[in-house]
């Protein structure tokens, strides 16, 4: 993997109307107080308000592109949520992508407009700033969509464009892609990241902690039988393999009795069944 691009935005990015801190999600506001942006505050009828941000100083404002983009994404989310218009007066300088200025399209999204480019193609999204799966069927492909009502994908009008916010009942805003396909992909990624009951018991110690002792006993016995079976020629090993499978089946039965509905137990159950199918020479 190549080293990540470093870049800097110089100048200011403000909202048309400052957003009072009293209505702003505190965590979002806090994240905009960190390098490489400096928050700009103003007075408003509702008290202190976030007017926008400015880039850090020339000497220390260079940061990985992903860090800058996450700050810009937070500003977009605030503008979307509170009905503000973003007004950037900022130029960018990037090791890999050269120089230009920051512009906002008619749907409230930031674009890096290169020095020699017409901003118009960004305003209308006739550019290539957003990843699209049009040229790559595998990009954002999801074979199985998880049924989980807590995490929703909606279509929301944003100027002449459509946004696809992914919102979780437990975790709030997850992402807001510009295509439905990417939104479904981000939803699945969030489910794997934040809604997996317990990590898979990878490795011996994880499995030993996760498995009930009675089940673990059977699995250990199965493993012993398989080990013994390897010392014999295949026909003689059959008895050991069968004994191993019997232990694995009992382990699966124990799991089924202990908790038939818990997803983690179901998973462990599957592990036990896989062991039941393991051959000594596998
Ligand atoms: Zn663009
Ligand atoms: Zn969630």
């Amino acid at each position: 993997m190549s080293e990540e691009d470093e870049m800097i935005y110089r100048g200011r990015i403000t909202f048309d109307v400052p957003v009072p801190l009293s209505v702003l999600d505190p965590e979002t506001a806090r994240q905009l107080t960190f390098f490489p942006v400096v928050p700009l505050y103003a007075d408003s009828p509702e008290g202190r308000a976030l007017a926008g941000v400015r880039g850090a100083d020339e000497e220390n404002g260079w940061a990985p592109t992903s860090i800058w983009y996450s700050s810009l994404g937070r500003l977009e989310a605030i503008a979307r949520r509170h009905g503000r218009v973003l007004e950037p007066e900022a130029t960018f300088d990037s090791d890999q992508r050269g120089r230009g200025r920051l512009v906002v399209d008619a749907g409230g999204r930031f674009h890096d407009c290169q020095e020699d480019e017409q901003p118009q193609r960004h305003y209308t999204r006739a550019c290539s700033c957003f990843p699209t799966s049009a040229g790559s069927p595998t990009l954002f492909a999801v074979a199985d969509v998880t049924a989980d009502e807590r995490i929703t994908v909606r279509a929301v009008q944003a100027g002449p464009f459509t946004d696809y916010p992914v919102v979780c009942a437990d975790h709030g805003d997850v992402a807001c892609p510009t295509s439905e396909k990417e939104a479904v992909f981000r939803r699945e990624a969030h489910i794997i990241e934040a809604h997996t009951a317990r990590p898979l018991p990878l490795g011996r110690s994880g499995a030993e902690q996760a498995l009930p002792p009675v089940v673990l006993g059977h699995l250990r016995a199965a493993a012993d039988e398989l080990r013994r079976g390897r010392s014999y020629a295949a026909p003689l090993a059959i008895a050991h393999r069968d004994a191993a499978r019997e232990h694995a089946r009992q382990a699966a039965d124990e799991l089924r009795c202990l908790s038939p509905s818990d997803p983690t137990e179901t998973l462990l159950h599957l592990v036990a069944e896989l062991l039941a199918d393991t051959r000594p020479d596998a």
Side-chain angles (χ1 to χ4, degrees):
M1 217 177 130
S2 66
E3 213 169 290
E4 190 175 9
D5 187 21
E6 289 248 328
M7 70 179 303
I8 186 170
Y9 288 95
R10 301 184 185 88
R12 300 153 59 92
I13 305 161
T14 51
F15 303 109
D16 58 340
V17 178
V19 184
L21 295 182
S22 56
V23 303
L24 207 53
D25 167 45
E27 179 56 20
T28 304
R30 197 182 64 83
Q31 284 165 340
L32 288 170
T33 62
F34 290 129
F35 169 84
V37 294
V38 177
L40 300 168
Y41 297 111
D43 290 327
S44 80
E46 294 89 23
R48 199 164 142 90
L50 182 70
V53 298
R54 67 170 171 82
D57 299 336
E58 171 63 25
E59 296 80 47
N60 59 15
W62 286 83
T65 301
S66 61
I67 292 180
W68 273 107
Y69 281 1
S70 70
S71 293
L72 297 185
R74 287 191 183 103
L75 291 167
E76 287 177 348
I78 292 170
R80 196 180 298 129
R81 170 158 295 195
H82 299 283
R84 299 301 200 270
V85 175
L86 288 159
E87 297 178 335
E89 287 172 38
T91 57
F92 71 87
D93 198 336
S94 153
D95 283 353
Q96 288 179 18
R97 290 170 302 115
R99 296 154 172 269
R101 69 188 174 96
L102 187 65
V103 299
V104 169
D105 71 28
R109 301 285 183 146
F110 287 118
H111 298 243
D112 289 335
C113 178
Q114 310 274 338
E115 272 173 337
D116 55 353
E117 275 185 316
Q118 289 299 316
Q120 190 60 29
R121 45 193 299 270
H122 293 288
Y123 295 150
T124 56
R125 291 193 194 171
C127 54
S128 53
C129 292
F130 296 112
T132 65
S133 51
S136 165
T138 53
L139 185 64
F140 304 131
V142 174
D144 281 321
V145 176
T146 308
D148 190 330
E149 287 171 2
R150 288 174 298 177
I151 308 111
T152 57
V153 171
R154 285 182 308 132
V156 174
Q157 209 57 36
F161 307 111
T162 309
D163 282 335
Y164 294 90
V166 184
V167 180
C168 172
D170 298 339
H171 300 97
D173 295 337
V174 172
C176 190
T178 54
S179 79
E180 187 171 17
K181 190 174 183 188
E182 183 179 348
V184 171
F185 178 88
R186 300 286 169 213
R187 180 181 177 276
E188 287 304 313
H190 176 72
I191 289 169
I192 290 166
E193 188 180 62
H195 293 267
T196 304
R198 247 189 279 169
L200 271 165
L202 296 173
R204 175 182 274 198
S205 60
E208 284 184 354
Q209 282 159 18
L211 287 165
V214 61
V215 176
L216 197 58
H218 279 301
L219 292 180
R220 284 208 179 108
D224 284 343
E225 290 292 345
L226 289 177
R227 246 192 307 275
R228 243 170 263 143
R230 281 203 190 98
S231 312
Y232 295 91
L236 295 171
I238 287 173
H240 289 291
R241 187 200 64 185
D242 287 348
R245 284 186 172 175
E246 185 51 36
H247 277 299
R249 263 183 225 110
Q250 286 181 36
D253 284 343
E254 292 288 353
L255 275 173
R256 208 175 284 124
C257 295
L258 284 169
S259 178
S261 59
D262 183 297
T264 308
E265 301 303 340
T266 308
L267 226 153
L268 293 173
H269 184 168
L270 183 71
V271 172
E273 285 192 340
L274 285 170
L275 276 175
D277 282 332
T278 301
R279 287 157 180 277
D281 56 344

